[in-house]
């Protein structure tokens, strides 16, 4: 049996949509069932459900053999894993956003302080970062910061809160990641699963 770490968030819906679009019915129903269980087993594959930032940790430790994670998570933190390949779903991007007419941005709220720090450092901009864990759109609305760095998919959340994108930082995609040891010791089982879902 192999173990696959998934996140029960935006990326999970993109993954199940991908399965449905490719008629992979043996996985769709078990993964789509409403349940409080943190894992499910389909054939010889155990799927575990974790928070997005924790998926690489489960893979790194060997609790999971492979996982699906956003490249945003991999860009923000360092993990001792195999970053195997880009997957054909989960597309979005990092952007700098703020209120219309905002002048020079000196303060930025973000969950992704490492990504933001690297970006502004490369731009040679002196910016103070405020770390927030969620609803970063509130920060410029309430005057906490001049702008934000956040993930943008459709742009609807920014629009609904009266914010606009100023600069795109980088593209984000779903990535297949793997444990450095079990990717090889369970090579046959992993390859069979990845071939079934059309990744390899």
């Amino acid at each position: 049996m192999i173990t696959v770490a998934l996140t029960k968030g935006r990326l999970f819906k993109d993954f199940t949509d991908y399965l449905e679009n490719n008629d992979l019915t043996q996985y769709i129903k078990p993964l789509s069932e409403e349940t409080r269980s943190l894992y499910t087993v389909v054939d010889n594959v155990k799927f575990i459900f974790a928070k997005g930032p924790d998926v690489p940790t489960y893979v790194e430790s060997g609790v999971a053999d492979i996982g699906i994670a956003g490249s945003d998570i991999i860009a923000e933190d360092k993990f001792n894993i195999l970053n195997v390949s880009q997957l054909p779903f989960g597309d979005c991007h990092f952007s700098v956003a703020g209120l219309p007419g905002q002048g020079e941005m000196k303060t930025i709220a973000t969950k992704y302080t490492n990504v933001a720090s690297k970006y502004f450092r490369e731009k040679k901009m002196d910016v103070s970062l405020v770390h927030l864990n969620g609803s970063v759109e509130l920060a410029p609305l309430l005057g906490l910061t001049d702008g934000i760095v956040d993930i943008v998919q459709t742009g609807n959340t920014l629009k609904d809160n009266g914010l606009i994108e100023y600069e795109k930082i980088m593209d984000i995609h779903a990535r297949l990641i793997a444990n450095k040891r079990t990717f090889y010791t369970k090579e046959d089982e992993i390859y069979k699963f990845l071939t079934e879902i059309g990744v390899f």
Side-chain angles (χ1 to χ4, degrees), residues 5 48-51 53-65 179:
I48 62 173
F49 308 115
K51 286 189 175 293
D54 295 335
V55 167
T57 301
Y58 283 108
V59 172
E60 182 178 32
S61 68
V63 169
D65 303 303
N179 178 269

Side-chain angles (χ1 to χ4, degrees), residues 15 18-19 21-24 26-27 68 85-89 176 190-200:
F15 178 54
Y18 167 80
L19 295 177
N21 292 337
N22 288 276
D23 296 321
L24 296 163
Q26 71 270 37
Y27 296 112
I68 295 175
S85 64
Q86 181 176 316
L87 298 172
F89 52 85
L176 174 68
I190 291 172
Y191 184 79
K192 179 177 181 292
F193 169 68
L194 295 178
T195 302
E196 281 179 358
I197 66 171
V199 173
F200 279 2

Side-chain angles (χ1 to χ4, degrees), residues 108-124:
I108 293 286
T110 185
K111 178 181 177 182
Y112 302 93
T113 51
N114 290 331
V115 169
S117 177
K118 182 175 183 290
Y119 171 75
F120 290 117
R121 192 167 59 248
E122 289 174 351
K123 299 272 289 185
K124 295 181 169 52

Side-chain angles (χ1 to χ4, degrees), residues 32-177:
S32 300
E33 288 177 348
E34 288 292 331
T35 176
R36 290 181 177 271
S37 177
L38 297 176
Y39 74 92
T40 189
V41 177
V42 185
D43 296 332
N44 208 33
V45 181
K46 177 190 279 187
F47 294 94
I48 62 173
F49 308 115
K51 286 189 175 293
D54 295 335
V55 167
T57 301
Y58 283 108
V59 172
E60 182 178 32
S61 68
V63 169
D65 303 303
I66 58 176
I68 295 175
S71 58
D72 54 304
I73 293 167
I74 299 167
E76 178 64 15
D77 292 304
K78 291 183 179 179
F79 301 97
N80 187 25
I81 54 173
L82 293 175
N83 190 350
V84 181
S85 64
Q86 181 176 316
L87 298 172
F89 52 85
D91 293 348
C92 48
H93 58 275
F94 276 121
S95 272
V96 180
L99 291 165
Q102 174 64 46
E104 188 177 9
M105 293 193 184
K106 288 291 190 180
T107 54
I108 293 286
T110 185
K111 178 181 177 182
Y112 302 93
T113 51
N114 290 331
V115 169
S117 177
K118 182 175 183 290
Y119 171 75
F120 290 117
R121 192 167 59 248
E122 289 174 351
K123 299 272 289 185
K124 295 181 169 52
M125 294 174 63
D126 184 17
V127 173
S128 296
L129 300 178
V130 176
H131 181 267
L132 295 177
N133 286 307
S135 300
V136 294
E137 297 84 7
L138 272 175
L141 296 178
L142 300 179
L144 177 64
T145 61
D146 299 324
I148 63 173
V149 166
D150 203 14
I151 294 173
V152 177
Q153 189 169 28
T154 64
N156 289 339
T157 303
L158 292 179
K159 185 178 179 182
D160 289 347
N161 288 284
L163 304 178
I164 61 171
E165 288 186 69
Y166 278 96
E167 285 191 63
K168 179 178 174 181
I169 295 178
M170 71 167 73
D171 288 321
I172 297 169
H173 312 280
R175 301 288 307 184
L176 174 68
I177 60 175

